[in-house]
Amino acid sequence: MDRALLARVEKQAWFHRYPRGWPLLLFVLVALGTVLSVIAIERAEAERRQLELDRNVTELASGLQRRASENIAILRAGAALFTANDRVTPQAFAGIAQGLYTGGDYHGAMGLAWARWMPVGEVAQFETAVRGGVDPDYKVHPPAEDGREIAVPILYVAPESPANRAAIGFDMYSEATRREAMELAAGLGQPVASGKVHLVQDADQPGASGFLIYMPVFQGEGSARRVRGFVYSPFRAREFLDSAVELVRDRGVEISIYDGIRRPDRLLVSRAVSGENAMSMDRRIVVANRPWIVSVSFKRARTLSALSRATLVFGAVLGVLVLFIARLITKRSAEDRVVLEWLSDQSAIRTSLTRELNHRVKNTLANVLSIVALTRRRSVDIDDFAESLTGRIRALSATHDLLSQSDWTDAPIAEIVRSELAPYMGTGDAHVELTGPAINLAPNDAMSLGLAIHELATNAAKYGALSTAAGRVFIEWRLVSPEVAELHWREAGGPPVQAPSKRGFGRDLLEKIVAHELQSKVDLRFDPSGVECTLRVPVRKLTSFALRSGKRT
């Protein structure tokens, strides 16, 4: 045998000895190509996210500056009012503020305010003048006990919300950060934003941060020119950021804004997003002559990009197809078995649902037949029969509607009572008072309770507390034990009550049918001051169904 023939035999022997060698080699090559492709795709995705992050920072910075510019324009308009008028009344100030904030859009601010600049020695005289014509309770605070010579108390705020009114009279010159901003604004003659402060409006929120933008107002010309006061706007940092984000596409990035320096103590506001930071970008902007640092961060993706995942899936499918082609037949057989089991499960579900529907329909029809029979025996004529039967059927229907909303699982006692008493509980009407915790009842118990409440309400509307304008009905319920709830009905303010000489259907329904359905005695009392009724209702746990047996568990 020559060497070429021997080599062919050896090759054939290797192939037959290792029949999975070539498929395995192809699988390794496909896997290697897939991994290299995913690496290249992720690098491109990282570059794309970097560009998107830069766009996010640019858009957010633009949104912040736009909101600041809108508020500065409003401040300039307010300052023009005080420049043109020696005296501005509260009504005029409120009117121009309302006109400037069109449609109630405050552009991230809490409103507009005016504060007077004055020597400390004039504070007492200023307080007296304000109390005499503007606000009888006006008081400048805190008192100037640190030796400062200037006071800038707040006089007007708009809108006059409770939070804004809390700031009236506050001497902003008493606080260093505000004082620094006002002095810079007065020196530049331009609007200036303050550093990070805790707003007077947020006295009850210790951790809240905010800032203010001051627009100086001058009087006099040349060497006689002096500061008259400041038109300013207070800002909650969180609300200002949310207002700016409305102007851009919110991509769910993490945002932090720092006052001048990126330090934890200079953090104005942060909108955190869960996850680990993958890349961040800072942008320095100027808001009303105050430097800010805007930091935007992307979170590290929990999974690969969609294209990478698709590439991995394609590579895995291709490799598995080469390696396990012989398993297609068995896989198809397994899929057929899964389908057959699914169809069997669906059939069991349909059977169970049919049984449950049949059970509920029978219960409902039994209740209706009992009501029809008793109503017929107690009715004096066909009209009385029709009216009584219609009301009781509607009571059942109202409870059915509540149960349908919860897929026939349970119904809250409060909603059952409220649905039956809806005709007597108009807007602003105090005829009915409901008190009790959240307790849910099983369907049958809910329908029985609904019938009981309907009968009590009907009796009260005809003869009891709901028949007069001064009448009241008090309904209270509580948990007596984990398995039993007690409901107490009490009427007051109605006509004097006398015990009926003969039993009616409503009483029979309460003391017989409802008591039987609820498996508890109904205590019905005809006190002279008003009817009282106490009944106990089982509180059952929500049950499930065994699909294959069709029985409740």
PDB file of all heavy atoms in Angstrom, residues 250-285:
ATOM      1  N   ASP A 250     -37.015  62.610  27.969  1.00  0.00           N
ATOM      2  CA  ASP A 250     -36.547  61.967  29.204  1.00  0.00           C
ATOM      3  C   ASP A 250     -36.162  60.529  28.890  1.00  0.00           C
ATOM      4  O   ASP A 250     -37.013  59.683  28.648  1.00  0.00           O
ATOM      5  CB  ASP A 250     -37.653  62.013  30.258  1.00  0.00           C
ATOM      6  CG  ASP A 250     -37.163  61.539  31.616  1.00  0.00           C
ATOM      7  OD1 ASP A 250     -35.978  61.146  31.694  1.00  0.00           O
ATOM      8  OD2 ASP A 250     -37.946  61.552  32.570  1.00  0.00           O
ATOM      9  N   ARG A 251     -34.863  60.250  28.895  1.00  0.00           N
ATOM     10  CA  ARG A 251     -34.375  58.910  28.546  1.00  0.00           C
ATOM     11  C   ARG A 251     -34.050  58.079  29.786  1.00  0.00           C
ATOM     12  O   ARG A 251     -33.344  57.083  29.693  1.00  0.00           O
ATOM     13  CB  ARG A 251     -33.142  59.015  27.649  1.00  0.00           C
ATOM     14  CG  ARG A 251     -33.407  59.763  26.341  1.00  0.00           C
ATOM     15  CD  ARG A 251     -32.131  59.838  25.504  1.00  0.00           C
ATOM     16  NE  ARG A 251     -32.364  60.485  24.232  1.00  0.00           N
ATOM     17  CZ  ARG A 251     -32.314  61.791  24.047  1.00  0.00           C
ATOM     18  NH1 ARG A 251     -32.058  62.594  25.079  1.00  0.00           N
ATOM     19  NH2 ARG A 251     -32.533  62.319  22.864  1.00  0.00           N
ATOM     20  N   GLY A 252     -34.513  58.494  30.934  1.00  0.00           N
ATOM     21  CA  GLY A 252     -34.280  57.722  32.131  1.00  0.00           C
ATOM     22  C   GLY A 252     -32.848  57.747  32.615  1.00  0.00           C
ATOM     23  O   GLY A 252     -32.371  56.775  33.206  1.00  0.00           O
ATOM     24  N   VAL A 253     -32.126  58.854  32.380  1.00  0.00           N
ATOM     25  CA  VAL A 253     -30.741  58.963  32.836  1.00  0.00           C
ATOM     26  C   VAL A 253     -30.711  59.542  34.243  1.00  0.00           C
ATOM     27  O   VAL A 253     -31.677  60.134  34.714  1.00  0.00           O
ATOM     28  CB  VAL A 253     -29.920  59.848  31.879  1.00  0.00           C
ATOM     29  CG1 VAL A 253     -29.819  59.209  30.517  1.00  0.00           C
ATOM     30  CG2 VAL A 253     -30.521  61.241  31.764  1.00  0.00           C
ATOM     31  N   GLU A 254     -29.591  59.356  34.935  1.00  0.00           N
ATOM     32  CA  GLU A 254     -29.411  59.937  36.261  1.00  0.00           C
ATOM     33  C   GLU A 254     -28.867  61.355  36.110  1.00  0.00           C
ATOM     34  O   GLU A 254     -27.922  61.576  35.350  1.00  0.00           O
ATOM     35  CB  GLU A 254     -28.454  59.069  37.079  1.00  0.00           C
ATOM     36  CG  GLU A 254     -28.288  59.546  38.506  1.00  0.00           C
ATOM     37  CD  GLU A 254     -27.567  58.528  39.365  1.00  0.00           C
ATOM     38  OE1 GLU A 254     -28.193  57.530  39.752  1.00  0.00           O
ATOM     39  OE2 GLU A 254     -26.360  58.730  39.613  1.00  0.00           O
ATOM     40  N   ILE A 255     -29.470  62.298  36.850  1.00  0.00           N
ATOM     41  CA  ILE A 255     -29.119  63.716  36.706  1.00  0.00           C
ATOM     42  C   ILE A 255     -28.737  64.263  38.078  1.00  0.00           C
ATOM     43  O   ILE A 255     -29.423  64.010  39.071  1.00  0.00           O
ATOM     44  CB  ILE A 255     -30.298  64.521  36.126  1.00  0.00           C
ATOM     45  CG1 ILE A 255     -30.720  63.959  34.766  1.00  0.00           C
ATOM     46  CG2 ILE A 255     -29.934  65.996  36.017  1.00  0.00           C
ATOM     47  CD1 ILE A 255     -32.002  64.567  34.233  1.00  0.00           C
ATOM     48  N   SER A 256     -27.647  65.001  38.123  1.00  0.00           N
ATOM     49  CA  SER A 256     -27.238  65.705  39.345  1.00  0.00           C
ATOM     50  C   SER A 256     -26.830  67.122  38.958  1.00  0.00           C
ATOM     51  O   SER A 256     -26.193  67.333  37.920  1.00  0.00           O
ATOM     52  CB  SER A 256     -26.068  65.002  40.030  1.00  0.00           C
ATOM     53  OG  SER A 256     -26.434  63.687  40.420  1.00  0.00           O
ATOM     54  N   ILE A 257     -27.212  68.090  39.791  1.00  0.00           N
ATOM     55  CA  ILE A 257     -26.853  69.489  39.550  1.00  0.00           C
ATOM     56  C   ILE A 257     -26.130  70.001  40.791  1.00  0.00           C
ATOM     57  O   ILE A 257     -26.641  69.869  41.917  1.00  0.00           O
ATOM     58  CB  ILE A 257     -28.096  70.352  39.263  1.00  0.00           C
ATOM     59  CG1 ILE A 257     -28.816  69.835  38.006  1.00  0.00           C
ATOM     60  CG2 ILE A 257     -27.713  71.810  39.091  1.00  0.00           C
ATOM     61  CD1 ILE A 257     -30.088  70.591  37.692  1.00  0.00           C
ATOM     62  N   TYR A 258     -24.945  70.555  40.565  1.00  0.00           N
ATOM     63  CA  TYR A 258     -24.125  71.066  41.659  1.00  0.00           C
ATOM     64  C   TYR A 258     -23.997  72.584  41.538  1.00  0.00           C
ATOM     65  O   TYR A 258     -23.969  73.130  40.429  1.00  0.00           O
ATOM     66  CB  TYR A 258     -22.729  70.447  41.631  1.00  0.00           C
ATOM     67  CG  TYR A 258     -22.729  68.950  41.861  1.00  0.00           C
ATOM     68  CD1 TYR A 258     -22.882  68.069  40.797  1.00  0.00           C
ATOM     69  CD2 TYR A 258     -22.569  68.430  43.136  1.00  0.00           C
ATOM     70  CE1 TYR A 258     -22.882  66.700  41.002  1.00  0.00           C
ATOM     71  CE2 TYR A 258     -22.554  67.055  43.343  1.00  0.00           C
ATOM     72  CZ  TYR A 258     -22.714  66.202  42.278  1.00  0.00           C
ATOM     73  OH  TYR A 258     -22.698  64.855  42.483  1.00  0.00           O
ATOM     74  N   ASP A 259     -23.894  73.237  42.675  1.00  0.00           N
ATOM     75  CA  ASP A 259     -23.735  74.692  42.727  1.00  0.00           C
ATOM     76  C   ASP A 259     -22.243  75.026  42.649  1.00  0.00           C
ATOM     77  O   ASP A 259     -21.541  75.047  43.662  1.00  0.00           O
ATOM     78  CB  ASP A 259     -24.336  75.231  44.022  1.00  0.00           C
ATOM     79  CG  ASP A 259     -24.111  76.739  44.172  1.00  0.00           C
ATOM     80  OD1 ASP A 259     -24.007  77.421  43.138  1.00  0.00           O
ATOM     81  OD2 ASP A 259     -24.035  77.203  45.328  1.00  0.00           O
ATOM     82  N   GLY A 260     -21.779  75.250  41.421  1.00  0.00           N
ATOM     83  CA  GLY A 260     -20.409  75.721  41.206  1.00  0.00           C
ATOM     84  C   GLY A 260     -19.340  74.660  41.277  1.00  0.00           C
ATOM     85  O   GLY A 260     -18.473  74.568  40.414  1.00  0.00           O
ATOM     86  N   ILE A 261     -19.356  73.825  42.315  1.00  0.00           N
ATOM     87  CA  ILE A 261     -18.309  72.830  42.541  1.00  0.00           C
ATOM     88  C   ILE A 261     -18.970  71.474  42.720  1.00  0.00           C
ATOM     89  O   ILE A 261     -19.989  71.361  43.401  1.00  0.00           O
ATOM     90  CB  ILE A 261     -17.469  73.171  43.800  1.00  0.00           C
ATOM     91  CG1 ILE A 261     -16.885  74.574  43.681  1.00  0.00           C
ATOM     92  CG2 ILE A 261     -16.365  72.153  44.005  1.00  0.00           C
ATOM     93  CD1 ILE A 261     -16.186  75.029  44.952  1.00  0.00           C
ATOM     94  N   ARG A 262     -18.367  70.453  42.137  1.00  0.00           N
ATOM     95  CA  ARG A 262     -18.921  69.105  42.263  1.00  0.00           C
ATOM     96  C   ARG A 262     -18.477  68.503  43.598  1.00  0.00           C
ATOM     97  O   ARG A 262     -17.465  67.804  43.685  1.00  0.00           O
ATOM     98  CB  ARG A 262     -18.473  68.233  41.091  1.00  0.00           C
ATOM     99  CG  ARG A 262     -19.140  66.866  41.094  1.00  0.00           C
ATOM    100  CD  ARG A 262     -18.658  66.017  39.956  1.00  0.00           C
ATOM    101  NE  ARG A 262     -19.172  64.671  40.057  1.00  0.00           N
ATOM    102  CZ  ARG A 262     -19.940  64.061  39.180  1.00  0.00           C
ATOM    103  NH1 ARG A 262     -20.289  64.711  38.094  1.00  0.00           N
ATOM    104  NH2 ARG A 262     -20.340  62.836  39.364  1.00  0.00           N
ATOM    105  N   ARG A 263     -19.246  68.817  44.633  1.00  0.00           N
ATOM    106  CA  ARG A 263     -19.003  68.285  45.968  1.00  0.00           C
ATOM    107  C   ARG A 263     -20.350  67.900  46.576  1.00  0.00           C
ATOM    108  O   ARG A 263     -21.374  68.512  46.258  1.00  0.00           O
ATOM    109  CB  ARG A 263     -18.340  69.330  46.869  1.00  0.00           C
ATOM    110  CG  ARG A 263     -16.896  69.594  46.577  1.00  0.00           C
ATOM    111  CD  ARG A 263     -16.199  70.246  47.778  1.00  0.00           C
ATOM    112  NE  ARG A 263     -17.031  71.148  48.542  1.00  0.00           N
ATOM    113  CZ  ARG A 263     -16.714  72.433  48.782  1.00  0.00           C
ATOM    114  NH1 ARG A 263     -15.579  72.939  48.318  1.00  0.00           N
ATOM    115  NH2 ARG A 263     -17.514  73.188  49.501  1.00  0.00           N
ATOM    116  N   PRO A 264     -20.363  66.887  47.440  1.00  0.00           N
ATOM    117  CA  PRO A 264     -21.652  66.469  48.023  1.00  0.00           C
ATOM    118  C   PRO A 264     -22.390  67.601  48.722  1.00  0.00           C
ATOM    119  O   PRO A 264     -23.628  67.687  48.652  1.00  0.00           O
ATOM    120  CB  PRO A 264     -21.249  65.365  49.013  1.00  0.00           C
ATOM    121  CG  PRO A 264     -19.969  64.818  48.459  1.00  0.00           C
ATOM    122  CD  PRO A 264     -19.267  65.992  47.839  1.00  0.00           C
ATOM    123  N   ASP A 265     -21.672  68.491  49.413  1.00  0.00           N
ATOM    124  CA  ASP A 265     -22.345  69.573  50.134  1.00  0.00           C
ATOM    125  C   ASP A 265     -22.855  70.672  49.203  1.00  0.00           C
ATOM    126  O   ASP A 265     -23.625  71.530  49.632  1.00  0.00           O
ATOM    127  CB  ASP A 265     -21.408  70.177  51.176  1.00  0.00           C
ATOM    128  CG  ASP A 265     -20.169  70.797  50.530  1.00  0.00           C
ATOM    129  OD1 ASP A 265     -19.635  70.189  49.584  1.00  0.00           O
ATOM    130  OD2 ASP A 265     -19.744  71.875  50.976  1.00  0.00           O
ATOM    131  N   ARG A 266     -22.442  70.634  47.940  1.00  0.00           N
ATOM    132  CA  ARG A 266     -22.914  71.644  46.968  1.00  0.00           C
ATOM    133  C   ARG A 266     -23.951  71.051  46.005  1.00  0.00           C
ATOM    134  O   ARG A 266     -24.295  71.681  45.008  1.00  0.00           O
ATOM    135  CB  ARG A 266     -21.723  72.182  46.164  1.00  0.00           C
ATOM    136  CG  ARG A 266     -20.632  72.811  47.009  1.00  0.00           C
ATOM    137  CD  ARG A 266     -21.083  74.094  47.681  1.00  0.00           C
ATOM    138  NE  ARG A 266     -21.234  75.168  46.740  1.00  0.00           N
ATOM    139  CZ  ARG A 266     -20.257  75.996  46.359  1.00  0.00           C
ATOM    140  NH1 ARG A 266     -19.037  75.847  46.888  1.00  0.00           N
ATOM    141  NH2 ARG A 266     -20.479  76.970  45.518  1.00  0.00           N
ATOM    142  N   LEU A 267     -24.429  69.842  46.307  1.00  0.00           N
ATOM    143  CA  LEU A 267     -25.426  69.207  45.452  1.00  0.00           C
ATOM    144  C   LEU A 267     -26.775  69.904  45.623  1.00  0.00           C
ATOM    145  O   LEU A 267     -27.352  69.923  46.707  1.00  0.00           O
ATOM    146  CB  LEU A 267     -25.558  67.720  45.805  1.00  0.00           C
ATOM    147  CG  LEU A 267     -26.612  66.930  45.016  1.00  0.00           C
ATOM    148  CD1 LEU A 267     -26.242  66.866  43.542  1.00  0.00           C
ATOM    149  CD2 LEU A 267     -26.770  65.526  45.583  1.00  0.00           C
ATOM    150  N   LEU A 268     -27.276  70.485  44.519  1.00  0.00           N
ATOM    151  CA  LEU A 268     -28.576  71.145  44.550  1.00  0.00           C
ATOM    152  C   LEU A 268     -29.715  70.135  44.475  1.00  0.00           C
ATOM    153  O   LEU A 268     -30.658  70.163  45.255  1.00  0.00           O
ATOM    154  CB  LEU A 268     -28.696  72.126  43.378  1.00  0.00           C
ATOM    155  CG  LEU A 268     -28.253  73.569  43.602  1.00  0.00           C
ATOM    156  CD1 LEU A 268     -28.326  74.338  42.304  1.00  0.00           C
ATOM    157  CD2 LEU A 268     -29.116  74.233  44.662  1.00  0.00           C
ATOM    158  N   VAL A 269     -29.632  69.228  43.525  1.00  0.00           N
ATOM    159  CA  VAL A 269     -30.699  68.248  43.332  1.00  0.00           C
ATOM    160  C   VAL A 269     -30.129  67.070  42.562  1.00  0.00           C
ATOM    161  O   VAL A 269     -29.181  67.216  41.783  1.00  0.00           O
ATOM    162  CB  VAL A 269     -31.892  68.873  42.567  1.00  0.00           C
ATOM    163  CG1 VAL A 269     -31.486  69.300  41.164  1.00  0.00           C
ATOM    164  CG2 VAL A 269     -33.077  67.916  42.500  1.00  0.00           C
ATOM    165  N   SER A 270     -30.704  65.909  42.790  1.00  0.00           N
ATOM    166  CA  SER A 270     -30.266  64.707  42.090  1.00  0.00           C
ATOM    167  C   SER A 270     -31.486  63.858  41.789  1.00  0.00           C
ATOM    168  O   SER A 270     -32.358  63.688  42.644  1.00  0.00           O
ATOM    169  CB  SER A 270     -29.265  63.921  42.945  1.00  0.00           C
ATOM    170  OG  SER A 270     -28.910  62.719  42.298  1.00  0.00           O
ATOM    171  N   ARG A 271     -31.546  63.342  40.566  1.00  0.00           N
ATOM    172  CA  ARG A 271     -32.592  62.390  40.209  1.00  0.00           C
ATOM    173  C   ARG A 271     -31.915  61.045  39.976  1.00  0.00           C
ATOM    174  O   ARG A 271     -31.266  60.827  38.963  1.00  0.00           O
ATOM    175  CB  ARG A 271     -33.338  62.829  38.945  1.00  0.00           C
ATOM    176  CG  ARG A 271     -34.589  61.997  38.685  1.00  0.00           C
ATOM    177  CD  ARG A 271     -35.268  62.376  37.403  1.00  0.00           C
ATOM    178  NE  ARG A 271     -34.527  61.908  36.247  1.00  0.00           N
ATOM    179  CZ  ARG A 271     -35.007  61.902  35.007  1.00  0.00           C
ATOM    180  NH1 ARG A 271     -36.207  62.386  34.781  1.00  0.00           N
ATOM    181  NH2 ARG A 271     -34.294  61.464  34.001  1.00  0.00           N
ATOM    182  N   ALA A 272     -32.025  60.168  40.968  1.00  0.00           N
ATOM    183  CA  ALA A 272     -31.292  58.910  40.943  1.00  0.00           C
ATOM    184  C   ALA A 272     -32.045  57.865  40.129  1.00  0.00           C
ATOM    185  O   ALA A 272     -33.270  57.857  40.062  1.00  0.00           O
ATOM    186  CB  ALA A 272     -31.064  58.401  42.358  1.00  0.00           C
ATOM    187  N   VAL A 273     -31.266  56.990  39.502  1.00  0.00           N
ATOM    188  CA  VAL A 273     -31.787  55.841  38.769  1.00  0.00           C
ATOM    189  C   VAL A 273     -31.027  54.625  39.268  1.00  0.00           C
ATOM    190  O   VAL A 273     -29.807  54.684  39.441  1.00  0.00           O
ATOM    191  CB  VAL A 273     -31.618  56.012  37.240  1.00  0.00           C
ATOM    192  CG1 VAL A 273     -32.111  54.782  36.505  1.00  0.00           C
ATOM    193  CG2 VAL A 273     -32.346  57.248  36.755  1.00  0.00           C
ATOM    194  N   SER A 274     -31.736  53.550  39.542  1.00  0.00           N
ATOM    195  CA  SER A 274     -31.093  52.359  40.089  1.00  0.00           C
ATOM    196  C   SER A 274     -30.121  51.765  39.070  1.00  0.00           C
ATOM    197  O   SER A 274     -30.313  51.851  37.864  1.00  0.00           O
ATOM    198  CB  SER A 274     -32.151  51.321  40.467  1.00  0.00           C
ATOM    199  OG  SER A 274     -32.892  50.936  39.325  1.00  0.00           O
ATOM    200  N   GLY A 275     -29.085  51.165  39.602  1.00  0.00           N
ATOM    201  CA  GLY A 275     -28.090  50.532  38.742  1.00  0.00           C
ATOM    202  C   GLY A 275     -26.704  51.122  38.951  1.00  0.00           C
ATOM    203  O   GLY A 275     -26.500  52.069  39.719  1.00  0.00           O
ATOM    204  N   GLU A 276     -25.744  50.543  38.278  1.00  0.00           N
ATOM    205  CA  GLU A 276     -24.350  50.962  38.376  1.00  0.00           C
ATOM    206  C   GLU A 276     -24.008  51.899  37.221  1.00  0.00           C
ATOM    207  O   GLU A 276     -24.366  51.629  36.069  1.00  0.00           O
ATOM    208  CB  GLU A 276     -23.444  49.734  38.351  1.00  0.00           C
ATOM    209  CG  GLU A 276     -21.971  50.062  38.459  1.00  0.00           C
ATOM    210  CD  GLU A 276     -21.095  48.822  38.297  1.00  0.00           C
ATOM    211  OE1 GLU A 276     -21.665  47.712  38.201  1.00  0.00           O
ATOM    212  OE2 GLU A 276     -19.861  48.966  38.251  1.00  0.00           O
ATOM    213  N   ASN A 277     -23.337  53.030  37.546  1.00  0.00           N
ATOM    214  CA  ASN A 277     -22.988  53.989  36.507  1.00  0.00           C
ATOM    215  C   ASN A 277     -22.017  53.371  35.504  1.00  0.00           C
ATOM    216  O   ASN A 277     -21.015  52.767  35.876  1.00  0.00           O
ATOM    217  CB  ASN A 277     -22.349  55.231  37.117  1.00  0.00           C
ATOM    218  CG  ASN A 277     -23.378  56.141  37.757  1.00  0.00           C
ATOM    219  OD1 ASN A 277     -24.570  55.996  37.510  1.00  0.00           O
ATOM    220  ND2 ASN A 277     -22.934  57.052  38.592  1.00  0.00           N
ATOM    221  N   ALA A 278     -22.351  53.534  34.232  1.00  0.00           N
ATOM    222  CA  ALA A 278     -21.467  53.047  33.173  1.00  0.00           C
ATOM    223  C   ALA A 278     -20.621  54.191  32.617  1.00  0.00           C
ATOM    224  O   ALA A 278     -19.435  54.027  32.358  1.00  0.00           O
ATOM    225  CB  ALA A 278     -22.281  52.402  32.059  1.00  0.00           C
ATOM    226  N   MET A 279     -21.215  55.339  32.408  1.00  0.00           N
ATOM    227  CA  MET A 279     -20.485  56.512  31.906  1.00  0.00           C
ATOM    228  C   MET A 279     -21.199  57.763  32.370  1.00  0.00           C
ATOM    229  O   MET A 279     -22.422  57.776  32.550  1.00  0.00           O
ATOM    230  CB  MET A 279     -20.378  56.467  30.371  1.00  0.00           C
ATOM    231  CG  MET A 279     -21.701  56.409  29.641  1.00  0.00           C
ATOM    232  SD  MET A 279     -21.516  56.355  27.834  1.00  0.00           S
ATOM    233  CE  MET A 279     -20.828  54.723  27.635  1.00  0.00           C
ATOM    234  N   SER A 280     -20.428  58.802  32.618  1.00  0.00           N
ATOM    235  CA  SER A 280     -20.968  60.075  33.081  1.00  0.00           C
ATOM    236  C   SER A 280     -20.348  61.212  32.277  1.00  0.00           C
ATOM    237  O   SER A 280     -19.257  61.073  31.709  1.00  0.00           O
ATOM    238  CB  SER A 280     -20.684  60.291  34.577  1.00  0.00           C
ATOM    239  OG  SER A 280     -21.245  59.266  35.349  1.00  0.00           O
ATOM    240  N   MET A 281     -21.045  62.327  32.252  1.00  0.00           N
ATOM    241  CA  MET A 281     -20.543  63.504  31.565  1.00  0.00           C
ATOM    242  C   MET A 281     -21.005  64.746  32.325  1.00  0.00           C
ATOM    243  O   MET A 281     -22.164  64.830  32.739  1.00  0.00           O
ATOM    244  CB  MET A 281     -21.038  63.550  30.117  1.00  0.00           C
ATOM    245  CG  MET A 281     -20.492  64.723  29.318  1.00  0.00           C
ATOM    246  SD  MET A 281     -20.983  64.638  27.572  1.00  0.00           S
ATOM    247  CE  MET A 281     -20.036  63.200  27.035  1.00  0.00           C
ATOM    248  N   ASP A 282     -20.084  65.680  32.537  1.00  0.00           N
ATOM    249  CA  ASP A 282     -20.381  66.931  33.223  1.00  0.00           C
ATOM    250  C   ASP A 282     -20.388  68.080  32.229  1.00  0.00           C
ATOM    251  O   ASP A 282     -19.632  68.077  31.255  1.00  0.00           O
ATOM    252  CB  ASP A 282     -19.357  67.215  34.324  1.00  0.00           C
ATOM    253  CG  ASP A 282     -19.427  66.189  35.453  1.00  0.00           C
ATOM    254  OD1 ASP A 282     -20.399  65.412  35.472  1.00  0.00           O
ATOM    255  OD2 ASP A 282     -18.507  66.163  36.295  1.00  0.00           O
ATOM    256  N   ARG A 283     -21.242  69.055  32.499  1.00  0.00           N
ATOM    257  CA  ARG A 283     -21.302  70.251  31.651  1.00  0.00           C
ATOM    258  C   ARG A 283     -21.445  71.466  32.573  1.00  0.00           C
ATOM    259  O   ARG A 283     -22.322  71.484  33.437  1.00  0.00           O
ATOM    260  CB  ARG A 283     -22.481  70.149  30.689  1.00  0.00           C
ATOM    261  CG  ARG A 283     -22.626  71.316  29.722  1.00  0.00           C
ATOM    262  CD  ARG A 283     -21.513  71.316  28.672  1.00  0.00           C
ATOM    263  NE  ARG A 283     -21.403  70.067  27.974  1.00  0.00           N
ATOM    264  CZ  ARG A 283     -22.164  69.700  26.924  1.00  0.00           C
ATOM    265  NH1 ARG A 283     -23.084  70.523  26.483  1.00  0.00           N
ATOM    266  NH2 ARG A 283     -21.963  68.551  26.338  1.00  0.00           N
ATOM    267  N   ARG A 284     -20.598  72.451  32.374  1.00  0.00           N
ATOM    268  CA  ARG A 284     -20.657  73.670  33.189  1.00  0.00           C
ATOM    269  C   ARG A 284     -21.534  74.690  32.470  1.00  0.00           C
ATOM    270  O   ARG A 284     -21.296  75.005  31.295  1.00  0.00           O
ATOM    271  CB  ARG A 284     -19.248  74.229  33.402  1.00  0.00           C
ATOM    272  CG  ARG A 284     -19.186  75.384  34.395  1.00  0.00           C
ATOM    273  CD  ARG A 284     -17.730  75.831  34.588  1.00  0.00           C
ATOM    274  NE  ARG A 284     -17.594  76.890  35.573  1.00  0.00           N
ATOM    275  CZ  ARG A 284     -17.476  76.694  36.875  1.00  0.00           C
ATOM    276  NH1 ARG A 284     -17.465  75.459  37.340  1.00  0.00           N
ATOM    277  NH2 ARG A 284     -17.356  77.703  37.713  1.00  0.00           N
ATOM    278  N   ILE A 285     -22.536  75.190  33.173  1.00  0.00           N
ATOM    279  CA  ILE A 285     -23.435  76.188  32.597  1.00  0.00           C
ATOM    280  C   ILE A 285     -23.519  77.372  33.563  1.00  0.00           C
ATOM    281  O   ILE A 285     -23.113  77.278  34.724  1.00  0.00           O
ATOM    282  CB  ILE A 285     -24.837  75.616  32.321  1.00  0.00           C
ATOM    283  CG1 ILE A 285     -25.520  75.211  33.632  1.00  0.00           C
ATOM    284  CG2 ILE A 285     -24.783  74.449  31.370  1.00  0.00           C
ATOM    285  CD1 ILE A 285     -26.974  74.777  33.467  1.00  0.00           C
TER     286      ILE A 285
END
